[in-house]
Amino acid sequence: MFILSNLLTQSKTLYKLRVNDVLLPIRNWIDSIEIKNPEQAKGLCKLIPAQCPFERDIKLFGRTLFHIPPLCKLNPFYEQLVFLRFRALCFLADECGEDVTVYC
């Protein structure tokens, strides 16, 4: 039983590594995007939401029937996109001297 459990754990780990290996070039590409001008930074800040817009509680007569979790956490590029948005906000604030509270 222990051997079978160990094999299942190893196969799940290998599967995760393969998926991560396939997505790694896209993650690296997103991380390598340089913010060069204010229009690009503003576009990214408008395109990438500040909060996950999908989390919901479904209620009926004041009672919660079920909860839909934030689906953006399932996005394999979520961390890279949030960091890209952060870099765009920093560019607008530091390089352009703009007020970024409009995008928060």
Side-chain angles (χ1 to χ4, degrees), residues 10-33:
Q10 288 177 355
S11 67
K12 287 179 185 178
T13 304
L14 286 175
Y15 174 75
K16 287 180 183 178
L17 288 175
R18 281 190 216 131
V19 169
N20 286 336
D21 289 345
V22 171
L23 300 177
L24 188 62
I26 299 171
R27 288 185 175 137
N28 290 338
W29 175 75
I30 293 171
D31 285 338
S32 69
I33 295 174

Side-chain angles (χ1 to χ4, degrees), residues 87-100:
R87 288 187 297 150
L89 286 170
C90 289
F91 178 83
L92 288 172
D94 297 341
E95 303 294 323
C96 303
E98 290 192 27
D99 181 23
V100 294

Side-chain angles (χ1 to χ4, degrees), residues 31-45:
D31 285 338
S32 69
I33 295 174
E34 292 184 28
I35 313 298
K36 297 179 181 177
N37 59 49
E39 291 79 24
Q40 178 189 21
K42 289 177 185 177
L44 288 170
C45 290

Side-chain angles (χ1 to χ4, degrees), residues 51-63:
Q51 296 177 346
C52 188
F54 302 113
E55 185 174 19
R56 299 279 186 267
D57 285 326
I58 306 302
K59 295 183 178 189
L60 183 64
F61 302 116
R63 298 187 67 172

